[in-house]
Amino acid sequence: MRAAWNRFRDLLRRDALAREMDEELGFHRAMLERDGRTDGLDGAGAARRARRRLGNLTRLNEELRAMWGFAWMDEMARNVRYGARSLAKSPGFAIAVIITLGLGIGANAALFSVIDRLMFRPYPYMASPDRVDRVYLQWDQRAERRTELAFEYARFADLRRWTSSFDLAAAIAGREMAVGSGEATRERQVDIVSGSFWDFFDARPALGRFFVAAEDTTPRGAEVVVLGYDFWQSEMGGRRDVIGQVLQVGNVPSVIIGVAPRGFTGVDDRDAAVYVPMTTYAGSMTQENLRNNYYTRYDWGWLSMMVRRKPGVTRAQASADLSVAYARSWEAERALSPGLPPSSLAHPAAIAGALKVSAGPRAGLEAKTALWVAGVALIVLLIACANVANLYLARTIARRREVAVRLALGVNRRRLVGQFLTESIGLALCGCVAGIALAQWGGAAMRAVFTPDDGTLNAFTDVRTILAAIFVSVGAGVLTGLAPLVVSSRGDLAGALKAGAREGTLQRSRLRTVLIVAQGALSVTLLVGAGLFMRSLANARALRLGYDADQIVLATGTARGVTLSNDQRVALGRRLLSAAQALPGVDHAAWVSAVPFFSTNSMDLFVPGIDSVRKLGRFTYTTGTPDYFAAMGTRILRGRAFDSRDRAGTQGVVVVSEGMAHALWPGEDAIGKCIRLDADTVPCTTVIGVSEDMVERDLTGAQHFSYFLPSAQFQPEGGFVLVVRARGDAAALEEPLRRRLQTELTGASYASTERLSTFVDRQRRSWEIGATMFAAFGLLALAVAAVGMYGVISYNVAQRRQELGVRVALGADRASIMRLVVGQATRVGAAGIVLGSLGSLLAARFVQPLLFRQSPTDPLVYGVVAAVLLATSVVASALPAFRATRVDPNEALRAE
């Protein structure tokens, strides 16, 4: 260590040491010359003897200088200087390499920032992130293993009470809620967290304090709120006197007690406007049954659980502990709901998994698609590397005699390898700078596709992204430097010194052709992926959902600062319904208790002749007013829909979906059948109709078990969401509907509207992402491959100029010359198509889960991609082929 430090110190003062060495050698030379003159030699003889005794001064200088630093640093510096001078002579080559690699490196850096944020980057201020997990629940249902991360408050209490592997546990949830009062009221992100949530972070409030466990107790916590930093700055002006003020959050007037620190996002990728206690939110629900029973019942799954393992406890041990507690909680639920299958059949288990959902066992299609897109970006980089390798090959051939001369003068091959790698890595690092700029400016759009882009990620300052880009750049530099190394480090030295420019061209052209075939094959893989995702997206858009999402507007009214009796709430609901129905542009309107992709309801169901309905699957119900089916656009296949005749006090009726009818009464007519709701001792509810299946939770789900009840019979106090069917454009109806409903609300109550298609579009996002990203990268790869093919064909035409001239002199016409050149490009393209198609077929079974009702071996997609690549090959070779037809045979015959 000391020797290395001394070398480093000497390196910094090398010039001073050189002067001292010259003075020392000069002194010894003078002394030796003086001794020679004393011995009777003349001046020239004394100088000769002094030189002989001192030895080879040049070698001595080199040995001493080698001791003043590190030889590899000197060699690298020389390689850098030589490479810079060499590249300065061909700036076009350097610019082409930097731009080509910059595109590939930038795409990978941008995708890394997305994947890192989705799956790996710890949340800001998180203490001991390696020990913090999210809890996932699993159980068997109809031979299918289900995984969920949302569960009930009672379940959270059970798992926290009956486990011993954790030193901390917290409940978390997020909602879009009305925040503020008067004209300042807006729908904002509200994080609902338990009092222990703040202990997961090494964060101090920017102002005030956080709420504690004593303010988050059942049945209802304290009416306090912590502001998000950005919300405090933008809406409160960053004033310090906000502590103690009242802020309306939903229907709760809450006292501001603190402000979260700058950059704090909790366990979300965006900063919440406010943070409220878990039990305060749940205890203020307008639905009486939820407000009074949320902490003792198991039928409202709405929160997630995060835990911190004790030091030394592994995830496997924590999962085992959680599973035992979950089985116990399952039996506790079964005591309240006898229809629940026993744990011996359901096999309930809990997993301590990744805190980020995208990296856990509940990862959605978007996260999986993001990983595939990351692979696509890597393929684009490989294509760019192949193109750059082709450029290096052409340059190496042009420098062939120079390399031979250097080898003949004694430069060893290791030094030559270092020179080539220095040039290629240096250009790759320049491409890294361009790539980081691309990741910053162009990657913002990519991040907006995958993650909420709050502007906090700067590729120029983000260390993780920069390190990833440098790592990719060095790898690309080594990869692109291999091709010229293979060419320059082999071959006959004497032959290279004597050879003309065309010697060995054919062999090297074959290597370039191999690289072009590889580019074509990779491009085929990307274009096939793009085609499959486009077909999947088309299939998802064409899917009949069981309702007309594009024509439906959802409206909700939040009662804020107003206490309504049951009769007053029913009267308000009727006024709002009448106001919506009377609005121009509205066809139908109805109050409902649940909306697809937004909320679902379930309860125990009992059917005569079936021991356990729950064994068949999950059954969800919706209550609605008489116009429900007309407003949703849901077709009644058999029987009738409920209407104004089905009111309170009459025979209970129900409409079941076609899937539910087949599951409960296979081969029988469901009309007139009896089901019992919530208990097996209540009177029968009679099936009066069968509706088409509704897609409620997942576009890819196969089960559609749902039933529909008239709210007048089941929930006379009113619905949860107002469903309004637009006669024309639903988007144009949103604001007029909101303003009209607002006039019916009193005090600080707030109306909000949103199109149902918004929720449906979120379900299609994975296929939209796949189609967009695969298509964009596929076209980029195709363009790079086309440029590479054009370069290879042009180079080959230039090298075969004499041969083509001889062919013309012997009578070959232009058409035959065109066929010769274009045929070469077509063969290269065909080889790429074959290899790329084989690779796509091998990857088919892996990409199948990401597709929607689409075969990964669709011959139409493969055929279109093959035609596109062949057409690209022809176009890329057209100009070189035209040049080949204009070769002058006289010039060719006179040439060497």
Side-chain angles (χ1 to χ4, degrees), residues 603-631:
M603 61 178 162
D604 288 334
L605 197 64
F606 300 90
V607 177
I610 300 179
D611 292 336
S612 175
V613 174
R614 283 209 182 189
K615 291 180 181 179
L616 300 177
R618 186 172 186 270
F619 293 79
T620 60
Y621 74 89
T622 301
T623 64
T625 51
D627 263 0
Y628 169 71
F629 291 103

Side-chain angles (χ1 to χ4, degrees), residues 447-705:
R447 290 191 295 274
V449 171
F450 290 99
T451 61
D453 189 12
D454 56 7
T456 59
L457 185 62
N458 188 329
F460 291 118
T461 58
D462 183 60
V463 176
R464 295 166 69 96
T465 301
I466 292 174
L467 290 177
I470 292 175
F471 176 79
V472 170
S473 302
V474 173
V478 173
L479 192 61
T480 54
L482 290 178
L485 285 176
V486 171
V487 172
S488 62
S489 61
R490 294 179 180 179
D492 178 27
L493 178 60
L497 289 171
K498 295 184 292 183
R502 291 184 296 272
E503 184 74 20
T505 297
L506 184 59
Q507 179 183 356
R508 293 177 183 119
S509 294
R510 287 196 184 118
L511 181 55
R512 300 187 68 195
T513 301
V514 168
L515 293 174
I516 287 298
V517 170
Q519 292 183 60
L522 294 174
S523 299
V524 166
T525 302
L526 299 191
L527 292 174
V528 166
L532 294 176
F533 272 101
M534 287 179 178
R535 294 290 295 267
S536 292
L537 179 59
N539 294 339
R541 287 175 174 170
L543 175 68
R544 172 64 186 171
L545 302 173
Y547 44 85
D548 301 325
D550 294 336
Q551 293 180 262
I552 297 173
V553 178
L554 308 176
T556 56
T558 303
R560 311 172 75 217
V562 179
T563 302
L564 302 176
S565 66
N566 187 59
D567 292 340
Q568 289 173 325
R569 188 162 55 251
V570 172
L572 176 60
R574 289 173 179 170
R575 290 200 306 273
L576 293 174
L577 181 59
S578 298
Q581 290 172 332
L583 195 67
V586 172
D587 267 345
H588 300 278
W591 278 111
V592 300
S593 64
V595 176
F597 303 114
F598 182 73
S599 61
T600 58
N601 300 318
S602 63
M603 61 178 162
D604 288 334
L605 197 64
F606 300 90
V607 177
I610 300 179
D611 292 336
S612 175
V613 174
R614 283 209 182 189
K615 291 180 181 179
L616 300 177
R618 186 172 186 270
F619 293 79
T620 60
Y621 74 89
T622 301
T623 64
T625 51
D627 263 0
Y628 169 71
F629 291 103
M632 293 292 291
T634 302
R635 297 191 294 261
I636 300 297
L637 305 180
R638 295 184 296 280
R640 68 174 180 89
F642 49 76
D643 53 32
S644 57
R645 294 172 291 177
D646 305 306
R647 54 188 180 275
T650 62
Q651 169 65 40
V653 297
V654 62
V655 175
V656 301
S657 68
E658 187 174 26
M660 179 173 173
H662 285 315
L664 295 180
W665 305 286
E668 302 180 36
D669 186 4
I671 305 299
K673 296 293 186 180
C674 166
I675 63 174
R676 303 182 192 275
L677 306 175
D678 207 27
D680 58 359
T681 57
V682 301
C684 279
T685 299
T686 304
V687 177
I688 61 170
V690 177
S691 73
E692 62 178 320
D693 289 331
M694 276 192 181
V695 179
E696 293 183 314
R697 293 166 57 86
D698 184 359
L699 292 179
T700 60
Q703 296 182 7
H704 303 288
F705 299 160

Side-chain angles (χ1 to χ4, degrees), residues 856-871:
T857 58
D858 187 348
L860 178 62
V861 172
Y862 284 77
V864 170
V865 169
V868 168
L869 192 63
L870 280 178

